[in-house]
Each structure stands twice: as structure tokens, then as C-alpha cells.
Amino acid sequence: MLKFILKVFVIFLPFAVVITLLCGLVAVSMQQYIREGASDPQIQIAEDLAAQLSQGIPVSSFVSGTKVDIRSSLSPFVIVYDKTGNVLQSNAQLNGKTPAVPQGVFDINKWKQPIVGHHLAFDFPQNETRFTWQPTDDVRIATVLVYYSSQKQSGYVLAGRSMREVQTRIENVYLRVFVAWVVTLFATLIAVIFAKVELRSLSRRN
């Protein structure tokens, strides 16, 4: 019996490795696809606003007075900074005030342009970067930062949106891939055992 189990294991192991790698690839690919899609509205907002600011239009003309609570709301929000990273206009609110992005975001922009982006997105403009911002443990934001410059002003436009629904979708993908992985492994194991039993039966008949 032990010898039979070992033979089944030896046959099953390569299948298990391939199935695991394929499921892992599917999970990672879907996670990246969903994550990159989470930035689509922010890309349009930030790029359009930066383009208009580059034409010299005043910052106060764009950002509305309606505040977006980034912990509870799924609405996109905008923060406009000057060239040193100070807030000029904002409709984002967290705990009653505009949340502060890590200063390193602006330091990278000053140190090296174009900014190298994140999340395997290589085709965006040189003055733009996209990243995940986590101002508190329970808040994750899909963020786009665009640099703008004109004769009168220069600075940064940040557009963001909560990743709450995106995280739920990613978790659902992981769950479905995990279930598919378990079912496929089990079905493959049964198939290997059945094939081995049939081969043993045939060898005995012969």
C-alpha cells in the first residue's frame, strides 16, 4: 500500500506544481488588472486639471467646496499643491482635515523626472505617477499625481479614490482562484489514482 501511495504521489506532484503555478499566475494577473483599473477616473481628472492649470487658469476655479470624506465615500477627490508640496486647494477630508501625503512623493518628483510609476503601468506621461496611498490603517487610496507648470504657477495635482470596493473584488478573485485550485488538485489526484489502479489491473490481467 505504501509503495502504491508513493507512486501516486510521484505522478501527482508535477501536476500539482503546474496547477499551483497557473492558479498563482491567474490570481496575480487579475489582481493587477483590477488594481490598475481603479485609477482610471483619477487619471482623467488629474491630467485634465493639470493641463488647464498649465495654461495659467487659477487653482480656485476648479476644486469645489463640497468635501469628500475619503474614509466613507467612494467619490473621487482632488488636492492641488504648489511646487513645494503645500496644499493650495482640496476637497478631500479625513478626520476633519486634508490628509497629508508622504513628503517623499514630491521629493521623488524633484529628484528625478519622469517619475517611475507603480503597478506595472509603463505607458503614462512623464510628469505623472500612480501609487497606492494609505493615510491610515483602514483607508487605502488609488492615487494619481500629475506635475503641472506654467509661467504663473507650478505644482502638483493629486486625484484619488477609495479602494474599498476594489479590495473587495480582489479578495473575491483570490477566493475563487483558491477554490478552483483546491478542486483542480483534488480532481487531478482522483484521476491519477484511478489511472494507477487501472494500470495495475491491466498488468495483473496480462
Side-chain angles (χ1 to χ4, degrees):
M1 185 63 181
L2 180 59
K3 187 176 181 180
F4 176 79
I5 294 175
L6 288 175
K7 288 182 178 180
V8 169
F9 177 77
V10 170
I11 298 172
F12 172 72
L13 183 59
F15 289 103
V17 171
V18 172
I19 291 168
T20 301
L21 290 176
L22 289 176
C23 288
L25 180 61
V26 169
V28 171
S29 299
M30 289 301 298
Q31 187 271 339
Q32 286 292 325
Y33 179 78
I34 295 172
R35 172 59 188 89
E36 289 180 13
S39 297
D40 288 348
Q42 298 88 286
I43 294 169
Q44 178 186 353
I45 293 170
E47 289 184 359
D48 289 353
L49 180 52
Q52 295 180 67
L53 290 171
S54 296
Q55 297 173 6
I57 300 175
V59 174
S60 57
S61 303
F62 298 99
V63 181
S64 69
T66 303
K67 297 297 182 180
V68 176
D69 187 335
I70 67 174
R71 174 177 280 114
S72 60
S73 176
L74 296 175
S75 298
F77 61 86
V78 173
I79 306 175
V80 181
Y81 303 88
D82 64 17
K83 61 183 179 181
T84 61
N86 296 314
V87 176
L88 297 178
Q89 291 286 331
S90 171
N91 66 349
Q93 184 171 278
L94 180 63
N95 298 327
K97 59 183 180 180
T98 299
V101 297
Q103 189 62 36
V105 172
F106 304 111
D107 293 339
I108 292 174
N109 206 339
K110 295 173 185 176
W111 169 62
K112 182 180 180 181
Q113 290 190 10
I115 303 173
V116 178
H118 305 273
H119 306 298
L120 306 181
F122 301 110
D123 57 344
F124 50 82
Q126 294 183 348
N127 64 332
E128 179 176 321
T129 189
R130 305 167 192 175
F131 57 97
T132 300
W133 173 28
Q134 188 167 350
T136 62
D137 291 340
D138 60 337
V139 178
R140 286 171 62 85
I141 306 295
T143 313
V144 177
L145 184 72
V146 179
Y147 177 80
Y148 71 90
S149 179
S150 68
Q151 294 181 347
K152 297 181 179 180
Q153 57 192 355
S154 63
Y156 307 89
V157 176
L158 182 150
R161 187 176 61 159
S162 171
M163 290 180 57
R164 187 180 73 222
E165 287 300 310
V166 173
Q167 288 177 283
T168 300
R169 292 174 188 174
I170 291 174
E171 290 170 1
N172 288 337
V173 166
Y174 287 158
L175 178 60
R176 291 169 184 172
V177 172
F178 175 76
V179 171
W181 174 69
V182 171
V183 171
T184 306
L185 284 179
F186 181 75
T188 303
L189 179 59
I190 296 301
V192 169
I193 293 173
F194 177 79
K196 189 62 180 174
V197 169
E198 286 298 310
L199 287 173
R200 174 184 286 187
S201 299
L202 288 174
S203 64
R204 286 177 178 177
R205 292 172 189 172
N206 297 331

